[in-house]
């Protein structure tokens, strides 16, 4: 059966047989970079099409259906259009920061791919502080957003950037506390060990009601962190035209657009890894027969299936709930989600100490 683990092992053996260790490292690094860029490109095409199809389904319409069978090449046509458009820089803008901002957002997204285990033994960097790495690096993206809004010399862009900064900083607290809940249960910050700890059941089920509460808060918080509706105050078209990227066009706008969907994929990957077992198949206690059958499904299929289920959930939110006002958005975090997260973390800590989980 095809597996990403077998593919990487075969490639490693072939390189070791033909190259010295230094060149093996160089070649493997280049392969990783090319695969990351290819993954970004494919995810951008797939997720934009998925967004449109999900929106069409929620609104009982067809969605893209002209360019290619069932409209599957519509996003390719949109990409070609963005590549051909001229990239404009406003006269009064800070040109260096204006051009740098979209690259910072994309670089942060690429760094976040490193510790995520996509399949069994298929991971760029199995760092022993993987959870901390994801939480710390993801916080840097707000710098790119603030930089884009300020350097554009546009009041709508600046207001959108300030909203986005307040929103991301606020909801990072609840998302971080939800992540710490799983760290408390596993006793490790290494993502591969967190996945291994779910061999006899996913933490969403093993952790009882507190784990479910942590999962719900995590999904709400990361939806807000990625500036997705109903938390898209930073890009509220009816108030701020396009928010912090109002002045961007061409490929610079495409980088912001792509980074949004890549960030959705990353936060859903983290959620699937922490709460749904990552690439780990669905195992139930000592049900050997059932567990053996689940093991026949490749680990990469399990991982991407869980991730796209969470992505669908976030897209479902967008086309179901109306946009919140900025005061409602911050009240939800500071008055409700944060206190509940703190109490829930205390409950999970007590549960871990007493050994009340499965």
């Amino acid at each position: 059966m095809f597996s990403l683990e077998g593919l990487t092992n075969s490639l490693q053996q072939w390189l070791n047989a033909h190259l010295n260790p230094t060149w093996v490292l160089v070649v493997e690094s280049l392969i990783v970079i090319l695969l990351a860029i290819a993954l970004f490109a494919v995810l951008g095409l797939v997720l934009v099409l998925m967004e449109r199809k999900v929106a069409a389904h929620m609104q009982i319409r067809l969605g893209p259906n002209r360019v290619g069978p069932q409209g599957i090449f519509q996003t390719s046509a949109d990409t070609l259009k963005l590549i051909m458009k001229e990239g404009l820089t406003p006269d009064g803008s800070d040109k260096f920061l204006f051009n740098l901002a979209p690259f910072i957002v994309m670089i942060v997204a690429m760094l976040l791919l490193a510790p995520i285990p996509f399949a069994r033994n298929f991971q760029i960097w199995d760092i022993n502080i993987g959870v901390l790495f994801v939480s710390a690096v993801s916080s840097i993206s707000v710098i790119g957003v603030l930089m884009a809004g300020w350097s554009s010399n546009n009041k709508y862009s600046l207001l959108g950037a300030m909203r986005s900064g307040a929103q991301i900083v606020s909801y990072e607290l609840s998302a971080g506390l939800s992540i710490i809940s799983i760290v408390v249960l596993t006793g490790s910050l290494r993502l591969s060990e967190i996945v291994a700890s779910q061999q006899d059941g996913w933490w969403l089920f093993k952790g009882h009601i507190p784990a479910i509460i942590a999962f719900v808060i995590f999904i709400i918080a990361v939806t807000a962190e990625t500036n997705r509706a109903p938390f898209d105050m930073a890009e509220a078209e009816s108030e701020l035209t396009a928010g912090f990227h109002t002045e961007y066009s061409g490929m610079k706008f495409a980088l912001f657009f792509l980074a949004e969907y890549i960030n959705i994929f990353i936060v859903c990957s983290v959620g699937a890894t922490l709460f749904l077992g990552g690439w780990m198949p669905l195992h139930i206690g000592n049900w050997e027969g059932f567990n053996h059958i689940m093991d026949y499904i490749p680990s990469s299929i399990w991982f991407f299936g869980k991730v796209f289920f969470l992505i669908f959930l976030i897209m479902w939110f967008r086309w179901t709930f109306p946009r919140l006002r900025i005061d409602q958005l911050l009240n939800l975090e500071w008055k409700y989600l944060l206190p509940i997260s703190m109490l829930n973390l205390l409950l999970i800590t007590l549960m871990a100490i007493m050994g009340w989980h499965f």
Side-chain angles (χ1 to χ4, degrees), residues 11 33 44 95 108 137 146 171 179-180 188 196 204 242 284 298 340-341 346:
L11 179 62
I33 292 169
K95 293 179 173 52
V108 170
V137 173
L146 291 171
Y171 280 86
I179 290 172
I180 291 172
S188 174
L204 184 63
I284 301 178
I340 293 172
S341 298
L346 290 175

Side-chain angles (χ1 to χ4, degrees), residues 218-219 222 262-274 276 303 306-314:
F218 176 83
I219 292 297
V222 297
I262 298 301
N263 286 330
I264 295 170
F265 174 81
I266 288 168
V267 297
C268 289
S269 299
V270 173
T273 301
L274 297 176
L276 302 178
F303 176 79
K306 295 170 187 176
V307 171
F308 275 90
F309 166 73
L310 294 181
I311 292 173
F312 170 76
L313 205 60
I314 289 178

